[in-house]
Amino acid sequence: MNSRKLLSEVSDLCSKNKIVPFLGAGCSISTLQCDWDSLMQQISEEYDIGKQGNLQTAQKFINKYGKEKFCNVLNDKLTVKEFDDEKGYVYLAILSMAIGIIYTTNQDNVLEKCCEKYGFKYNTIITLDDLIQSEIGRGMYIKYHGDYKVPESVVFGEDDYLDRIDDKNNFLDIRLKSDMLGRKILFVGYSFRDINLKLFFRRLKNVFGDIPESYMIVWQLNDDLENECKRYNIQVIKPNEIFPSIGTDTAYFQTIELLCDEVFQKKTSLSIHDFFNYKHSQRVISKFELNRLENLLGKISNEEYINRFREKMDQTLIPRDFETDVVKIFMRLAGLCNFNEAKHLYGLILNLKLQDTFNIFIVIVGFYMAHNGNPNKQGMSELCNPFGHNAPYREELLVLALATAFEVLRKRNIPISDFYRGDITSIITDRSINVNLLPVEIKQYIVSEFDTVWKQKHTTCEHPIKRQNRLKGNSENPKHDQKLVCNIYAMIHDENKNPYFEIMNL
């Protein structure tokens, strides 16, 4: 497959979070102005250590001055004070693709400074404790060869490499195996001179047979690199093949830029599709959690309890068998709330996902009861739309719910406040079913409860049932279900059918 098609394949995988970037020293050369060879050359000259292979030179330094001193030197050589956008373009490009897991064999702080400058949220993973304590919701930047801030983690000298080779159960190897089998790796900034990385692929091939296909964006391809890539099933993306008419440096950076653009476009397209089609998972409440909520009621302030209730119940799937338990808790809570606390019940029931119509009706009754002490007209819109505008309730039931709330308060010897002898009652009644059209028994029940409230104290507001009769006469709203109102009324006063009969003192 040619490089352009390979790049498109990688961008598809990136957009679906199926790629794990693995960043090598080549990504930091522009920023640090040194690579592995030049770094070890500097160290050998400055500390008068004969130059051999890079591993041997590092080991001689460690043997002579110690690991901590070596890490101090790395700190001086590999630390940048701030991120340079132009020099660190590859890091910025990789981070801009919003990929959750990034690996590196680098020990510098360039990517961390990029994250710091632009607010990218990544946990840096150096030790097993870092992995265990990594914050959920953040990306992971896994430093495969350690970091000079943790000297025992650094893999740089010959002994470090041999120790790493002997450690068959290193947690980073296990993590990388897992990520590689679940996704594909994109190598950026590598020449495959890292013997530890070669060994890892060799071991992986022995364990799993054919290694899952991976990718590498190469700066320049030579025979040795090409053979290594074929051996380990790594598909090579050649920038000079995608942009043949420009220089190597420019072709490389334009290839990275092209990858970023394609990933952005494809992720945007997927996000739009998901927005209209994706069904989010939903939390399910357990009986154990309901028991804990029930036992907590009355032991903390009502306002704090409402917050605890919402933490568990907001947008939570309530199994049908548990709905009665949830509504009983709500009714007890509503009976304990004063008006200032009752204001918070609106947000609670707005996010309460009940399915049974009678249970929804009882919640509305409790909501109306809790607002009895309202000293003014605050919350009128909430009382008219208890479950919001996209409501699961039926508005024809509101006048019956209000009459039931009046009955429960009356039987508890709680006076009805002036709030309900005002405009709000008429507004609720106007939206409800025409009482004149209901069977005589139900009509008499509603009128009787409203009469009782209106006779308790003088008010200049028109009696809501009389107002409804004056405005509607015998007109019928075709959207209102009279049979539903009759069925709910029959359940309210039937001790065998109303599981809340005792709580409501009916």
Side-chain angles (χ1 to χ4, degrees), residues 84-337:
D84 185 302
D85 293 356
E86 185 176 351
K87 294 178 180 178
Y89 173 76
V90 174
Y91 287 112
L92 189 57
I94 295 294
L95 287 169
S96 72
M97 289 189 280
I99 296 171
I101 301 171
I102 300 172
Y103 279 81
T104 186
T105 49
N106 299 340
Q107 289 145 339
D108 56 64
N109 69 334
V110 181
L111 185 134
E112 288 98 319
K113 284 295 180 182
C114 182
C115 290
E116 184 182 303
K117 182 174 182 178
Y118 287 101
F120 294 109
K121 304 296 183 183
Y122 276 80
N123 298 299
T124 299
I125 308 299
I126 302 167
T127 67
L128 180 57
D129 282 344
D130 292 333
L131 184 60
I132 293 170
Q133 297 171 16
S134 59
E135 186 177 340
I136 295 174
R138 287 174 173 251
M140 286 196 290
Y141 181 48
I142 299 176
K143 306 193 88 165
Y144 190 66
H145 282 172
D147 186 288
Y148 50 73
K149 295 190 288 293
V150 185
E152 62 272 20
S153 72
V154 170
V155 178
F156 214 110
E158 192 170 28
D159 287 352
D160 298 327
Y161 275 82
L162 293 174
D163 289 343
R164 184 64 172 269
I165 290 168
D166 290 336
D167 186 0
K168 306 297 183 185
N169 296 311
N170 183 277
F171 80 98
L172 290 178
D173 284 350
I174 294 170
R175 175 78 203 200
L176 181 56
K177 287 178 185 178
S178 171
D179 288 331
M180 188 168 183
L181 292 173
R183 303 177 180 86
K184 296 183 180 181
I185 290 178
L186 173 64
F187 292 95
V188 182
Y190 279 99
S191 64
F192 253 83
R193 295 174 56 200
D194 187 331
I195 64 167
N196 199 34
L197 201 60
K198 288 183 183 181
L199 181 70
F200 172 76
F201 273 89
R202 213 169 290 157
R203 287 211 314 269
L204 202 62
K205 187 168 185 178
N206 290 336
V207 173
F208 296 104
D210 291 336
I211 297 174
E213 184 181 56
S214 296
Y215 306 89
M216 177 182 288
I217 300 177
V218 298
W219 187 275
Q220 286 182 320
L221 186 64
N222 55 41
D223 292 341
D224 180 55
L225 178 58
E226 188 169 17
N227 290 334
E228 291 290 341
C229 288
K230 286 179 180 178
R231 183 178 182 183
Y232 295 116
N233 197 22
I234 298 171
Q235 301 296 317
V236 177
I237 298 172
K238 309 165 193 172
N240 282 331
E241 190 177 282
I242 299 174
F243 298 101
S245 60
I246 56 179
T248 300
D249 292 9
T250 305
Y252 184 83
F253 289 116
Q254 285 199 9
T255 298
I256 299 291
E257 184 177 357
L258 179 59
L259 174 62
C260 287
D261 289 343
E262 287 194 0
V263 171
F264 176 77
Q265 291 170 13
K266 291 174 181 178
K267 277 198 171 187
T268 301
S269 178
L270 285 172
S271 296
I272 293 170
H273 178 270
D274 288 348
F275 180 81
F276 290 104
N277 296 282
Y278 183 68
K279 293 184 178 180
H280 295 277
S281 60
Q282 193 171 20
R283 189 177 180 279
V284 180
I285 194 69
S286 69
K287 184 68 173 177
F288 174 75
E289 290 172 304
L290 287 176
N291 289 339
R292 290 187 64 185
L293 280 174
E294 185 176 13
N295 293 332
L296 192 61
L297 188 59
K299 296 178 181 177
I300 57 177
S301 70
N302 292 332
E303 191 169 337
E304 184 180 353
Y305 184 86
I306 290 170
N307 291 333
R308 295 279 189 92
F309 186 97
R310 292 192 61 181
E311 285 175 7
K312 295 291 184 184
M313 301 302 302
D314 272 14
Q315 300 297 320
T316 296
L317 179 64
I318 305 171
R320 288 280 185 135
D321 292 345
F322 297 166
E323 278 202 10
T324 300
D325 298 313
V326 172
V327 176
K328 284 181 178 179
I329 292 173
F330 176 83
M331 291 299 287
R332 287 179 58 202
L333 173 62
L336 294 173
C337 287

Side-chain angles (χ1 to χ4, degrees), residues 5-61:
K5 288 183 178 179
L6 283 173
L7 191 72
S8 181
E9 195 173 279
V10 171
S11 67
D12 281 338
L13 292 168
C14 282
S15 68
K16 298 170 185 174
N17 295 315
K18 293 293 185 181
I19 279 287
V20 176
F22 213 121
L23 310 182
C27 298
S28 297
I29 288 177
S30 296
T31 301
L32 300 175
Q33 297 299 305
C34 69
D35 58 11
W36 199 24
D37 290 337
S38 61
L39 175 62
M40 296 316 301
Q41 182 66 39
Q42 290 176 31
I43 290 176
S44 66
E45 292 174 358
E46 291 176 16
Y47 291 90
D48 194 23
I49 297 173
K51 182 70 169 74
Q52 302 175 21
N54 291 330
L55 289 177
Q56 292 74 23
T57 302
Q59 192 59 51
K60 285 179 68 176
F61 183 102

